[in-house]
Amino acid sequence: MMPAALAPDIPSRRDPIRTALMVFLGLVVVFMLAPIAFVLVYAFSSVSYAIFPPPGFSMRWFVKLFQQEPLFRAAVNSLIVAAMAMVVSLVAGTLASLALVRYRFFGRELLRAVFLAPLIVPRIAFGVAMLVYVVLLRRFGGLDSLILAHLMLTLPFAITILSATLVAADRSLEEAAMDLGANGPLTFWRVTLPLMVPGLAAAALFAFTVSLDEFIITFLLTGSTQTLPLFVWGMLRTMLPPTVNAVATVIVVVSILLILLVMGIQWR
């Protein structure tokens, strides 16, 4: 048998397959990012109609964007709802994931299925159910009912991510802390919670973006209260104003910054 050091170089048969897969993945990425790239280009166009390439560069659409007070109020409402839904879903999701992962009790899998049900039920059916519910409570059109609905949408994401984080966490660290005299709350605060920080960051990002982007349920539950998706939809009902591209560009930039922030937290 010829030694490995003297064996002739044989081209790997897997290299063409790997190259083809990389090319395919690159085409998929281009296909997914192309619409966003066009939005970014048109946001800085000097003309109000869509033409590629744009004849010039201009920032006037961003100037007009920040001069619209109704848009500012809608953005503030969206941020309030998204922030409240994110905070409450993180707290409730942490407690629920601790119960589902760390303890065994009768009906645990049924309870897990109930928590994840909003991910399976179609949004339109869920929105109609929430509409009936808030009308019965006489809270239609308020931000509190909208926060409650968004909480029910974001909580499954938080529970899923945090449960996976707890499953991957080293249980022996918690047991060592309790062996050294730490009680349950102190062990959670000093050991378990720091281990959950990457999952908390990812869950916060998912909850915030899901709430900020939700349109169907928000449309059904809001009266005169405007949110950012509803305001943009109202702008698109008759025509495509260039300020919509500016709004989309701001949202894309903020999303990228949030993703980089979460990646930095997970890296640390």
Side-chain angles (χ1 to χ4, degrees), residues 20 38 44 54 84 207 224 240 258:
F38 278 105
F44 296 96
M84 291 297 297
S224 59
L240 181 62
L258 290 176

Side-chain angles (χ1 to χ4, degrees), residues 41-218:
V41 170
Y42 290 141
F44 296 96
S45 176
S46 59
V47 295
S48 59
Y49 51 89
I51 181 174
F52 188 85
F57 175 86
S58 176
M59 294 288 294
R60 60 172 177 165
W61 310 122
F62 291 92
V63 175
K64 290 185 177 181
L65 173 66
F66 291 106
Q67 290 177 346
Q68 298 188 26
E69 185 178 353
L71 176 60
F72 178 77
R73 290 197 301 266
V76 170
N77 290 334
S78 292
L79 291 177
I80 292 174
V81 173
M84 291 297 297
M86 177 190 69
V87 172
V88 180
S89 63
L90 286 182
V91 175
T94 300
L95 298 177
S97 60
L98 283 172
L100 294 173
V101 175
R102 291 289 189 255
Y103 300 97
R104 295 182 179 274
F105 52 90
F106 177 76
R108 184 181 65 168
E109 296 305 320
L110 177 61
L111 184 61
R112 189 194 305 272
V114 171
F115 279 134
L116 300 182
L119 295 178
I120 304 173
V121 177
R123 292 291 177 88
I124 185 66
F126 183 78
V128 172
M130 286 299 303
L131 175 61
V132 175
Y133 182 66
V134 298
V135 168
L136 291 176
L137 294 179
R138 298 183 180 180
R139 299 303 305 169
F140 174 76
L143 284 181
D144 52 351
S145 60
L146 195 58
I147 292 172
L148 177 62
H150 283 213
L151 171 62
M152 297 179 67
L153 287 177
T154 57
L155 185 58
F157 291 96
I159 292 177
T160 303
I161 295 172
L162 295 176
S163 295
T165 303
L166 283 174
V167 170
D170 192 355
R171 177 65 172 168
S172 62
L173 298 177
E174 298 174 314
E175 295 174 349
M178 290 185 285
D179 290 340
L180 293 174
N183 55 19
L186 184 60
T187 301
F188 171 77
W189 183 256
R190 299 295 297 272
V191 180
T192 308
L193 191 61
L195 292 174
M196 296 177 63
V197 167
L200 288 170
L205 176 62
F206 271 91
F208 187 84
T209 53
V210 167
S211 175
L212 189 67
D213 189 55
E214 178 56 37
F215 173 78
I216 297 177
I217 296 176
T218 305

